[in-house]
Amino acid sequence: MRIATWNINGINTRLERLLDWLKSSNTDVLCLQELKCPPEQFPEQALADAGYQAAFTSAGRWNGVAVLSRVGLDDPVTALTAVPEYEGVAEPRAVSATCGGVRVWSVYVPNGRELSHPHYTYKLQWLAALRETVAAEMTDDAPYAVLGDFNIAPTDADVWDINQFQESTHVSQPERDALTALTDTGLTMLDPRPLKYDVAFTFWDYRQLCFPKNRGMRIDHILGNAPFTAAVKDTYVDREARKGKSPSDHAPVVADLTL
């Protein structure tokens, strides 16, 4: 089984790229983030025509997540157990489903913006809610994984130059502590192959030629419980998907499992 996560940065803007990638990559389950579409514009029929069922939650211009599966999709859930609100809104940032016997969550962790911004506090609250949800429902009886754009670089080596990120979100200790608290529930973060260069970056800003200069960050992750990680045979970042015309600013992270 091939399972992947990808911040698509606008599903309708990049629908043709998405459909082409699903076909060429032979992916069975794909977790998507940053759909950027109202629910009535989610391309459910186009995905169904390609052989994929979908569970999704979206609200419009920002956010939105989905799970796509061609190996079955059961028991969808479209929110965390106790999701915090930002400015009075429970944003659509998490969706889960059971696909081919694997329970997956697709998550889009808040960016945080700046350390002094209320969005940063919201980010930490959201991560705490994610941990609470995972701790309550995960068992060691079946494969379980949390995939998505976490907006956290786990170590200083996971950004192209840590000196460029001093006093910034994505690398602060409270964010990293929240990620550690999540793995302490029994999840392990996969360490993907980069395919090129030394670090498997997953995000490169559109500006200042960041992608060709490989000025990236590793902020998209796959975390799995023991039955999930034991089944993983390979994991990598598909850097090729970041190339070409009108790409997402993220690349897919892919895991191959034998179940």
Side-chain angles (χ1 to χ4, degrees):
M1 180 184 292
R2 177 162 288 173
I3 300 178
T5 182
W6 193 3
N7 179 320
I8 196 66
N9 193 19
I11 190 169
N12 287 314
T13 301
R14 279 167 260 282
L15 181 58
E16 184 175 349
R17 290 181 67 104
L18 170 62
L19 294 173
D20 288 346
W21 187 84
L22 285 168
K23 183 177 181 180
S24 64
S25 67
N26 201 30
T27 296
D28 297 299
V29 180
L30 177 60
C31 294
L32 291 173
Q33 300 85 43
E34 209 167 351
L35 302 181
K36 290 184 175 178
C37 73
E40 65 273 13
Q41 292 180 12
F42 182 81
E44 197 163 9
Q45 188 58 55
L47 292 165
D49 291 343
Y52 289 85
Q53 295 175 269
F56 69 96
T57 177
S58 62
R61 185 180 177 187
W62 308 115
N63 310 318
V65 286
V67 174
L68 313 182
S69 175
R70 64 177 187 180
V71 291
L73 193 151
D74 299 312
D75 305 319
V77 174
T78 57
L80 301 178
T81 302
V83 60
E85 295 183 349
Y86 183 68
E87 296 182 341
V89 177
E91 297 176 330
R93 292 183 173 272
V95 62
S96 68
T98 299
C99 308
V102 180
R103 188 69 183 178
V104 299
W105 275 96
S106 175
V107 301
Y108 181 33
V109 176
N111 178 284
R113 302 181 187 174
E114 298 175 357
L115 298 183
S116 60
H117 199 285
H119 206 259
Y120 179 76
T121 301
Y122 167 60
K123 180 177 191 173
L124 298 179
Q125 293 171 340
W126 200 95
L127 285 162
L130 175 60
R131 185 193 185 283
E132 180 181 338
T133 299
V134 170
E137 69 178 19
M138 184 179 64
T139 70
D140 291 330
D141 297 331
Y144 181 99
V146 182
L147 307 90
D149 178 359
F150 284 78
N151 274 313
I152 301 171
T155 72
D156 289 357
D158 292 307
V159 297
W160 69 277
D161 181 356
I162 191 58
N163 294 317
Q164 303 294 321
F165 293 87
Q166 297 300 323
E167 302 301 320
S168 297
T169 59
H170 294 64
V171 300
S172 73
Q173 196 57 52
E175 292 168 278
R176 289 175 171 173
D177 289 346
L179 188 58
T180 298
L182 180 60
T183 59
D184 285 346
T185 63
L187 298 174
T188 298
M189 180 180 292
L190 301 187
D191 185 17
R193 294 187 291 119
L195 299 188
K196 185 178 181 179
Y197 300 111
D198 296 328
V199 181
F201 293 147
T202 64
F203 166 84
W204 301 260
D205 199 299
Y206 290 124
R207 298 168 294 181
Q208 300 179 333
L209 299 176
C210 282
F211 181 65
K213 293 180 179 179
N214 199 38
R215 294 178 175 177
M217 307 174 71
R218 187 168 81 94
I219 57 176
D220 302 85
H221 307 299
I222 300 176
L223 284 63
N225 69 350
F228 183 92
T229 56
V232 173
K233 303 305 176 186
D234 190 20
T235 180
Y236 58 92
V237 175
D238 186 356
R239 193 176 185 277
E240 295 298 308
R242 177 60 174 79
K243 297 180 179 180
K245 183 180 179 180
S246 299
S248 170
D249 45 5
H250 294 249
V253 185
V254 183
D256 289 335
L257 294 79
T258 302
L259 295 170

